[in-house]
Amino acid sequence: MRFLYLAFLVLAGYITGYAQQDIWQGVSVDFLKGKLEVSKNGRYLQHKNGTPFFYLADTAWELFHRLNEKEIEKYLEDRRAKGFTVIQAVILAELDGLNTPDANGNLPLKDIDDVIPNEAYFKWVDKVIRMADAKGLYIGLLPTWGDKVDKQWGKGPEIFNPAHAGAYGAWLGKRYKNFRNIIWINGGDRWGGDSNFAIWDNIGKGIKSTDKNHLMTFHPVGEHSSSRWFHNNVWLDFNMAQTGHCQRDYEIYEKLIVKDYERYPIKPCLNGEPRYENHPVCWKPDSLGWFDDTDVRQAMYWSLFSGSFGHTYGCHDIWQMFAPGREPEGQARGDWKSSLNLPGATQLIHARRLMEGYAWDSRKPAQEMIVSGNDSFINKIVALRGEGFAFIYFPTGEKATIDFSTVSRTPELNLQWMNPRTGERTDAGKVARDHSQTIIPPSSGRGNDWILIVEK
């Protein structure tokens, strides 16, 4: 076995990436490609014309509730330019969304007890969705946050029973069925089973009874997946997991993403709420610190290379649209406007360009390629391969022995290093396909993650 040592241009990669940001040109998604549907192999989403869709979301739970029109324009334009394709937002918002009015002075419901919508508020929701449409952005639309179903924490109050849930869902479906940029996200950071099941199930059924045009998933409580309760429900088109804000190694991805990928019947899966950038680790900043861009990248590539068809980013300051004068939720330390350009948010576009640049139908997780120990969850190396290519993610730059024989039948393969901080790709020579090689990334240690691109 010979060793392949590739360590060069690391410093240049850092300088180039932080001096020049990659900007997405034009609308983020071309809606003329048709509505979204599940691919024939059940692994990803595609447009009606067959073009694969890369779900790259930002978490903006309080978008409708806390921002005015000028602020929303600023936010959406920033996210378009950074290559996001979906904005996840909640109609009945978490932060006292039933009793604290939106920026226009409107409450979402005219009657809380009977869950009667306020037309003025919903016209505002309509307008925001259309603003996103103009920029080629889908809205991942949550009918309600979970505290309106099961208070647990948050403001509440609990307003839904199964009958109200079904009627509200049907009303929403009818109102939004002809909007072209909606992906429904049932749930809202809550348990899907027990007494909650009938309510969430009726919201899903209610929406689908009047809206046959849009796909739907379910946003679960932390460290769980929608598949636990709803995998076989007809309204659930794809699974969403929440790896949450405490786990810092690969084990939670193995428990959620890998298991969802392996479920039958096959449904697409993704990580809908990973570690948020600038979030206190497990809400204990004094002892555990804060999640940063390294955590963002690890969560994303661990998810994508384990079977996710897309990924959701989150920032602790942005989901709540924190600003001076507001009480921070969970120790927010930056206002949302300044946090738009945190490093992790600027680096997501490199994953989009990578994933959109290669064939979708044949890709699948390929852990069998990594034949060295790879037993550490902290340093877990993960691989994804398709017909004639493979991506291998080294989260901390640890070396590994790789079996290249399954990538292609050609005798030789081309290698490139991709720096996920900058998107820069560097030629790394060739390798023989028919035997294993020990690969050493250009640098190692926390923050020194690398992607090896293998092509015939």
Side-chain angles (χ1 to χ4, degrees):
M1 183 182 298
R2 63 190 178 91
F3 287 80
L4 185 64
Y5 185 78
L6 303 164
F8 41 78
L9 296 179
V10 178
L11 179 61
Y14 276 106
I15 295 172
T16 301
Y18 287 109
Q20 185 175 342
Q21 183 178 321
D22 190 354
I23 304 297
W24 190 266
Q25 301 298 320
V27 295
S28 187
V29 178
D30 182 2
F31 296 130
L32 295 179
K33 294 177 181 177
K35 69 179 184 178
L36 293 179
E37 59 187 19
V38 176
S39 65
K40 290 182 180 179
N41 67 3
R43 292 302 186 189
Y44 59 92
L45 304 186
Q46 64 182 30
H47 294 277
K48 191 69 176 178
N49 73 351
T51 304
F53 170 68
F54 185 59
Y55 187 111
L56 181 59
D58 190 25
T59 307
W61 300 138
E62 293 285 322
L63 181 72
F64 304 120
H65 185 213
R66 281 192 156 178
L67 299 192
N68 60 37
E69 185 173 348
K70 183 177 179 181
E71 291 170 329
I72 288 174
E73 170 60 29
K74 175 183 177 67
Y75 167 77
L76 293 177
E77 177 55 24
D78 179 271
R79 273 18 200 168
R80 180 210 62 77
K82 287 184 170 65
F84 287 91
T85 60
V86 181
I87 306 298
Q88 297 180 176
V90 189
I91 294 175
L92 306 183
E94 176 180 5
L95 302 181
D96 199 27
L98 298 184
N99 295 303
T100 299
D102 65 15
N104 306 305
N106 295 312
L107 295 173
L109 301 177
K110 293 173 65 176
D111 186 318
I112 289 178
D113 292 335
D114 291 325
V115 193
I116 298 176
N118 178 2
E119 181 64 17
Y121 179 85
F122 278 87
K123 283 184 176 178
W124 168 242
V125 173
D126 300 348
K127 184 172 186 175
V128 175
I129 295 172
R130 291 190 176 104
M131 290 172 68
D133 178 287
K135 298 180 184 297
L137 292 166
Y138 282 94
I139 295 291
L141 191 58
L142 281 73
T144 181
W145 196 247
D147 61 329
K148 283 68 175 171
V149 173
D150 182 6
K151 187 171 182 292
Q152 296 286 322
W153 62 93
K155 296 285 186 179
E158 296 176 5
I159 64 172
F160 285 103
N161 59 37
H164 285 152
Y168 177 60
W171 185 86
L172 288 176
K174 184 177 180 180
R175 186 180 189 96
Y176 293 110
K177 65 181 179 180
N178 293 322
F179 283 65
R180 61 181 184 173
N181 64 323
I182 286 177
I183 300 169
W184 289 109
I185 304 177
N186 196 359
D189 198 24
R190 286 302 186 275
W191 187 257
D194 302 323
S195 60
N196 294 349
F197 180 88
I199 295 175
W200 297 125
D201 189 43
N202 280 8
I203 288 177
K205 289 176 179 176
I207 291 172
K208 288 284 189 167
S209 72
T210 54
D211 179 5
K212 311 296 185 186
N213 296 325
H214 300 117
L215 300 180
M216 186 184 300
T217 188
F218 179 89
H219 177 263
V221 69
E223 300 186 19
H224 287 80
S225 170
S226 59
S227 61
R228 174 162 185 162
W229 312 283
F230 304 112
H231 185 74
N232 294 310
N233 290 52
V234 294
W235 53 261
L236 188 103
D237 298 296
F238 61 94
N239 279 308
M240 177 178 281
Q242 181 188 165
T243 53
H245 308 289
C246 286
Q247 304 301 329
R248 303 194 77 172
D249 62 37
Y250 183 75
E251 187 173 13
I252 191 65
Y253 302 84
E254 192 172 85
K255 289 180 178 178
L256 297 181
I257 306 301
V258 173
K259 284 189 176 180
D260 276 355
Y261 185 87
E262 293 175 345
R263 287 184 186 273
Y264 286 90
I266 295 172
K267 288 188 175 182
C269 62
L270 85 160
N271 192 350
E273 186 170 336
R275 324 164 189 176
Y276 286 168
E277 193 166 16
N278 228 20
H279 190 293
V281 178
C282 214
W283 295 270
K284 297 177 181 178
D286 294 338
S287 58
L288 298 178
W290 301 75
F291 289 123
D292 59 17
D293 59 307
T294 295
D295 295 293
V296 168
R297 295 192 305 274
Q298 284 186 354
M300 177 167 60
Y301 289 108
W302 272 342
S303 296
L304 290 174
F305 293 3
S306 297
S308 289
F309 71 90
H311 189 68
T312 298
Y313 164 86
C315 171
H316 191 44
D317 314 317
I318 292 173
W319 77 258
Q320 61 184 285
M321 300 303 173
F322 179 65
R326 288 178 177 151
E327 186 70 24
E329 183 72 20
Q331 302 169 291
R333 63 177 182 174
D335 71 272
W336 72 268
K337 292 179 182 178
S338 62
S339 294
L340 289 172
N341 289 309
L342 285 173
T346 69
Q347 296 162 7
L348 304 166
I349 193 171
H350 309 316
R352 178 178 179 181
R353 295 200 187 281
L354 176 69
M355 300 300 283
E356 289 185 341
Y358 292 79
W360 288 66
D361 284 345
S362 61
R363 63 177 63 168
K364 60 182 179 180
Q367 287 304 94
E368 71 278 359
M369 291 184 65
I370 304 157
V371 295
S372 49
N374 201 27
D375 296 323
S376 168
F377 283 125
I378 294 174
N379 303 312
K380 194 72 169 182
I381 301 165
V382 291
L384 182 79
R385 70 175 174 86
E387 184 61 40
F389 71 92
F391 310 139
I392 304 170
Y393 180 60
F394 297 76
T396 56
E398 295 272 319
K399 70 179 181 180
T401 303
I402 308 298
D403 177 6
F404 293 99
S405 63
T406 58
V407 177
S408 172
R409 295 182 180 180
T410 56
E412 227 176 22
L413 298 167
N414 296 317
L415 304 179
Q416 283 186 318
W417 282 116
M418 174 179 153
N419 183 337
R421 296 166 291 284
T422 67
E424 182 183 27
R425 302 186 190 189
T426 306
D427 180 63
K430 299 180 184 297
V431 65
R433 178 193 64 84
D434 59 357
H435 61 277
S436 300
Q437 299 279 358
T438 296
I439 303 295
I440 304 177
S443 62
S444 63
R446 177 173 167 80
N448 291 274
D449 48 333
W450 294 91
I451 296 170
L452 186 69
I453 301 173
V454 185
E455 296 182 270
K456 66 180 180 180

